[in-house]
Amino acid sequence: MNCRAKAVALIALAVISLASPTLEMTLTGRVEMFSTYGLLETAVSLVVLFWWYHLDKADHSYQAGKLMNSGVLLLAVIALPIYFVRSRGWKRGGRAIVLAALFLGATLLLSELGERLGAVITSR
């Protein structure tokens, strides 16, 4: 149902992971986790992740409580695996956790690539 919108959210997360460190490295010459750029990247990523989560809840007809919703915002690395199992069951939830971990790894690689790309752009 919301597959296209969920794909857009995931693509947006990937683009943010690449673009933010590229921009920061290009403009400042370094990338720092708690810089203004890093904090802005985190905030924007959380908004996009929460959007994806709400679309996914609708797809799975899952009624989340306030604790789960706030958990996804505050501790996504803990709350999302719980959500995946509760909304899909153990087998499909386990697959979703593995896919989410692979996606997280891909975004970390994109961040590293973005930092290196920014270094290449600045050295010209």
Side-chain angles (χ1 to χ4, degrees):
M1 293 179 243
N2 292 317
C3 288
R4 176 170 268 156
K6 288 187 342 187
V8 167
L10 294 176
I11 291 167
L13 284 170
V15 168
I16 292 165
S17 295
L18 178 67
S20 178
T22 303
L23 181 65
E24 184 175 5
M25 180 61 92
T26 302
L27 297 177
T28 68
R30 64 184 186 276
V31 174
E32 296 178 11
M33 181 183 290
F34 295 111
S35 68
T36 302
Y37 294 94
L39 294 175
L40 185 61
E41 175 187 356
T42 300
V44 172
S45 294
L46 276 174
V47 169
V48 174
L49 177 65
F50 204 66
W51 174 44
W52 175 89
Y53 164 70
H54 273 286
L55 294 170
D56 194 70
K57 282 192 317 179
D59 272 355
H60 292 279
S61 301
Y62 183 78
Q63 298 294 320
K66 291 177 185 176
L67 184 61
M68 179 62 76
N69 289 335
S70 46
V72 169
L73 277 176
L74 300 174
L75 292 168
V77 72
I78 295 169
L80 281 176
I82 294 167
Y83 162 71
F84 289 142
V85 170
R86 292 182 78 187
S87 64
R88 294 161 169 78
W90 282 102
K91 187 175 181 181
R92 290 180 54 229
R95 282 193 299 237
I97 292 168
V98 169
L99 289 173
L102 289 172
F103 184 78
L104 175 62
T107 60
L108 294 174
L109 287 174
L110 285 170
S111 291
E112 190 63 33
L113 180 62
E115 187 174 343
R116 292 176 190 219
L117 180 61
V120 168
I121 291 170
T122 339
S123 67
R124 290 184 181 196

